Amino acid sequence: MGDEQQCRTACKAARAAGAILQEWAHKFTVREKGPANLVTEADFAAQNVIVEMIRSEFPDHGFLAEEGLDEAPERPYRWIIDPLDGTSNYVHRFPYYGVSIGLEYRHQIVLGVIFDPNRDELFVAERGRGARLNDQPIRPSHVTSLCQAFVVASLPSAISSDHPSVRRLLQVLPHAQSLQRTGSAALNLAYVACGRMDAFWSSSLKPWDVAAGSLIVTEAGGNITRMSGAPFDPMLPDLLASNGSALHQELQDLLTADLA
Ligand code: IPD
Ligand code: CA
Ligand code: CA
């Protein structure tokens, strides 16, 4: 079970990081870590504040954070952090990005916190205790078929037009009522959990993109698997999240159809 102090600390750290992102929004400079993979001073400043706040309360925990921190992975508790998910959106002043903080205990995610500083929305899930948005319980949508669904895909940052992710997207496109690519995997998962999106998939995400959001989806009552339907593993880049209805199987069939 996620413990109360851990949850309080994660929420405080996510809000503090969110405030830092908004402060930096007027003055950051951008660097490319790889082709079209952006990072700013805000990513580092937000990560530093999260790690300092958590470490001061839990000095014997491990950390895995996007901006170059992989510390004590063998410890039973490990925090998995994306200080700014949606950097590309942030850089272009498209207000859809957030802070993602997950906590695993013996390789199982027990706590997930995602904060959207633009809407002041805090999504929280503790294993076995449900999921909340600003302290109110959340549930996924009731949509059951793709022709009525709002679905979202994440693609890698720089890919060719014949990349399998693009081909999977095209496979779904004619069947979905609305198909989007939004730029923040963490917020997408939070949105599936609270019913604003019906499904989300990707084959290119990292543990820090999905650790918190995966628990928020399942605790809200949604479903998360690999695209084949196999059990989800946050350490693997293979995710299909949905509201848990028949939509999940419909998408699974299209996403794993022979793409040749
Ligand atoms: C990115 C976002 C995006 C996804 C990319 C991620 P970042 O994270 O989650 O939605 O498509 O693959 O890298 O780089 O903004 O933290
Ligand atoms: Ca990310
Ligand atoms: Ca990031």
Side-chain angles (χ1 to χ4, degrees):
M1 298 295 118
D3 116 336
E4 248 174 62
Q5 189 194 354
Q6 290 165 351
C7 187
R8 247 196 336 268
T9 304
C11 292
K12 224 167 77 184
R15 284 189 180 280
I20 285 177
L21 297 181
Q22 301 310 68
E23 269 166 47
W24 272 100
H26 310 286
K27 56 185 183 189
F28 64 81
T29 53
V30 191
R31 180 167 68 74
E32 263 192 330
K33 289 195 279 189
N37 184 6
L38 309 181
V39 69
T40 71
E41 297 90 339
D43 297 68
F44 289 98
Q47 179 164 309
N48 288 343
V49 83
I50 296 167
V51 172
E52 273 167 29
M53 286 175 82
I54 294 175
R55 195 185 270 141
S56 72
E57 302 250 3
F58 305 105
D60 57 346
H61 288 189
F63 287 92
L64 175 64
E66 181 174 10
E67 306 312 333
L69 181 65
D70 187 356
E71 186 180 293
E74 72 293 348
R75 302 270 168 85
Y77 280 107
R78 183 165 72 146
W79 296 86
I80 304 179
I81 299 162
D82 191 339
L84 168 49
D85 185 64
T87 300
S88 193
N89 287 347
Y90 180 80
V91 163
H92 292 278
R93 305 184 197 289
F94 182 74
Y96 190 76
Y97 52 84
V99 180
S100 177
I101 302 177
L103 173 64
E104 64 171 18
Y105 177 67
R106 299 196 191 287
H107 307 293
Q108 185 179 52
I109 309 291
V110 291
L111 170 66
V113 171
I114 294 174
F115 181 57
D116 172 352
N118 289 296
R119 293 165 193 80
D120 193 30
E121 290 189 330
L122 185 71
F123 297 85
V124 178
E126 294 171 89
R127 182 165 290 274
R129 295 185 187 172
R132 306 182 295 279
L133 162 53
N134 290 347
D135 280 329
Q136 298 304 310
I138 50 174
R139 302 288 301 168
S141 71
H142 298 292
V143 168
T144 55
S145 73
L146 200 45
C147 63
Q148 296 170 320
F150 183 103
V151 298
V152 180
S154 252
L155 307 183
S157 39
I159 48 169
S160 63
S161 55
D162 63 348
H163 190 279
S165 304
V166 175
R167 286 151 68 208
R168 271 192 291 268
L169 187 98
L170 294 175
Q171 192 91 345
V172 176
L173 188 61
H175 304 281
Q177 187 182 79
S178 180
L179 170 50
Q180 310 290 337
R181 181 191 186 193
T182 60
S184 169
L187 284 185
N188 293 347
L189 289 167
Y191 275 32
V192 169
C194 72
R196 294 176 188 164
M197 293 176 181
D198 303 313
F200 167 57
W201 68 89
S202 177
S203 59
S204 55
L205 297 173
K206 298 285 201 282
W208 44 79
D209 298 316
V210 299
S214 59
L215 185 68
I216 295 173
V217 168
T218 53
E219 284 296 322
N223 189 13
I224 186 161
T225 64
R226 294 187 216 173
M227 284 186 263
S228 63
F232 173 70
D233 178 346
M235 298 300 140
L236 301 176
D238 184 350
L239 166 158
L240 169 60
S242 78
N243 60 9
S245 75
L247 176 64
H248 201 93
Q249 183 68 52
E250 198 181 349
L251 275 167
Q252 217 175 285
D253 293 345
L254 287 167
L255 293 169
T256 55
D258 187 3
L259 298 178

